[in-house]
């Protein structure tokens, strides 16, 4: 799976191309990165801090919740938007690097699909299902998440990296980038996108999971979140589309525990207080899902 995206990878130390040498990737300067037996490669710099990455427990909770289909409407909107932007690749059905284009050819038809903050690879896999022949790179700082992402789809290559540092991808290597509830590095997104390439960004609104936020004391979403995102990305990308996606979830008590455990509130929730609050909820409980799906384009 990694071999499909190797032509697009760059050394995190010197930004030179990486090539396979048995069980490692190396650059001409001699930097070497071992391939994990779970199918991913870590391209973190030596002084990187991984403490912000999702834990094994958070990743397991996210996998359970997403596999149950609770956020399927979000995945469907992303796949629909991706298909409208790219359509089926001309080389549909092919997966090897010889058919996926070249990073040096920004006008080529087969740019990479990159998911920045990919987690388990759930959304990227759904998008790749809609784009036969395309290959995808799942980028995340959590090795626990990427162990799952590496197996989420036969055309995904999984790479551990820090979203706030230079991404280990070559210039203009991506035709489409996804960012779902994840950190956004405007300068790097622009650099990695091809001219005319698009970022599809999913962010929660203030109404997202509001019933649980109120009842369980979870972290809330700023009313001005989307405006702040637009301002931060504005110097690098041009907004071209924005739509609201809203639907109602019917969650069991276990589902509620899972959705709390998979997100940022997992770092800030007292277990005993959560258990008491959960006991007071009806079952199932109806919960609002509310996100914004925005598209931004790198100018040509």
């Amino acid at each position: 799976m990694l071999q499909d995206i190797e032509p697009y990878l760059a050394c995190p130390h010197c930004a030179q191309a990486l090539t396979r040498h048995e069980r490692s990737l190396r650059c001409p300067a001699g930097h070497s990165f071992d391939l994990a037996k779970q199918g991913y490669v870590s391209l973190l710099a030596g002084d990187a801090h991984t403490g912000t990455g999702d834990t094994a427990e958070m990743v397991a909770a996210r996998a359970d919740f997403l596999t149950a289909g609770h956020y399927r409407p979000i995945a469907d909107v992303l796949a629909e938007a991706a298909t409208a932007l790219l359509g089926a690749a001309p080389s549909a059905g092919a997966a090897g690097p010889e058919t996926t284009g070249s990073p040096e050819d920004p006008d080529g038809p087969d740019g990479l699909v990159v998911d920045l903050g990919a987690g388990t690879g759930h959304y990227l896999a759904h998008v790749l299902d809609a784009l036969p022949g395309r290959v995808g790179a799942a980028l995340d700082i959590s090795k626990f998440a990427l162990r799952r992402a590496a197996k989420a789809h036969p055309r995904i290559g999984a790479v551990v990296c820090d979203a706030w540092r230079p991404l280990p991808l070559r210039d203009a290597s991506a035709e489409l980038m996804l960012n779902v509830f994840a950190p956004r590095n405007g300068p790097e997104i622009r650099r990695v996108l091809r001219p005319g390439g698009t970022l599809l960004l999913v962010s929660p609104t203030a109404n997202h999971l509001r019933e649980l936020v109120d009842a369980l004391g979870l972290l809330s979403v700023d009313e001005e979140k989307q405006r702040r995102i637009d301002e931060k990305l504005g110097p690098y990308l041009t907004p071209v589309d924005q739509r609201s996606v809203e639907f109602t979830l019917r969650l069991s008590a276990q589902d509620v525990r899972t959705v709390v455990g998979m997100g940022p509130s997992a770092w800030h929730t007292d277990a005993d207080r959560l258990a008491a609050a959960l006991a007071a909820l009806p079952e199932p409980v109806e919960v609002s899902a509310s996100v914004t799906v925005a598209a931004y384009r790198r100018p040509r």
Side-chain angles (χ1 to χ4, degrees):
M1 291 176 280
L2 269 171
Q3 70 178 4
D4 291 346
I5 68 167
E6 284 175 23
Y8 302 96
L9 296 178
C11 175
H13 299 292
C14 63
Q16 296 190 74
L18 293 169
T19 55
R20 178 78 68 99
H21 293 267
E22 296 182 351
R23 293 294 302 168
S24 67
L25 296 177
R26 298 180 191 173
C27 73
H31 302 119
S32 182
F33 307 90
D34 292 338
L35 306 180
K37 63 181 180 181
Q38 295 91 346
Y40 66 88
V41 63
S42 177
L43 297 181
L44 285 169
D47 59 345
H49 299 286
T50 60
T52 59
D54 289 347
T55 65
E57 293 77 16
M58 293 172 70
V59 170
R62 180 172 292 113
D64 289 345
F65 194 82
L66 294 176
T67 300
H70 295 301
Y71 281 174
R72 179 64 184 259
I74 300 174
D76 287 344
V77 168
L78 286 172
E80 175 189 339
T83 302
L85 287 165
L86 302 185
S91 53
E98 70 279 7
T99 62
T100 56
S102 167
E104 290 81 5
D105 179 15
D107 295 320
D110 293 310
L112 196 63
V113 179
V114 175
D115 192 346
L116 181 58
T120 63
H122 175 83
Y123 296 104
L124 179 57
H126 202 68
V127 166
L128 290 178
D129 277 342
L131 299 174
R134 303 276 177 175
V135 297
L139 309 184
D140 204 284
I141 200 168
S142 170
K143 65 180 181 181
F144 303 110
L146 291 184
R147 287 173 181 173
R148 294 176 183 264
K151 301 175 182 178
H153 196 281
R155 286 181 273 120
I156 285 179
V159 180
V160 181
C161 66
D162 186 345
W164 296 115
R165 296 195 176 196
L167 300 176
L169 293 171
R170 302 174 73 178
D171 293 353
S173 56
E175 195 163 356
L176 175 67
M177 294 188 74
L178 311 178
N179 184 266
V180 185
F181 304 140
R184 300 159 295 275
N185 184 336
E188 279 299 286
I189 291 172
R190 177 187 171 92
R191 180 187 66 80
V192 170
L193 275 175
R194 295 178 170 190
T198 303
L199 166 70
L200 294 177
L201 187 150
V202 179
S203 59
T205 75
N207 287 327
H208 189 57
L209 307 182
R210 68 175 185 272
E211 295 85 358
L212 299 184
V213 170
D214 295 340
L216 307 180
L218 307 182
L219 297 177
S220 60
V221 176
D222 180 4
E223 293 274 1
E224 297 296 311
K225 185 178 181 69
Q226 189 59 46
R227 179 186 61 79
R228 291 187 291 103
I229 291 173
D230 289 342
E231 288 180 352
K232 290 184 177 180
L233 292 178
Y236 312 105
L237 303 169
T238 301
V240 293
D241 187 35
Q242 186 178 117
R243 71 178 81 177
S244 296
V245 179
E246 297 184 335
F247 50 99
T248 300
L249 300 167
R250 290 176 58 84
L251 303 180
S252 67
Q254 182 55 49
D255 292 332
V256 174
R257 291 188 190 91
T258 303
V259 77
V260 173
M262 77 184 205
S265 290
W267 299 101
H268 306 280
T269 304
D270 178 80
D272 292 336
R273 187 178 303 171
L274 176 63
L278 279 171
L281 290 177
E283 186 171 358
V285 59
E286 292 195 349
V287 179
S288 302
S290 177
V291 303
T292 299
V293 180
Y296 304 83
R297 186 164 296 146
R298 176 181 171 178
R300 289 190 179 275

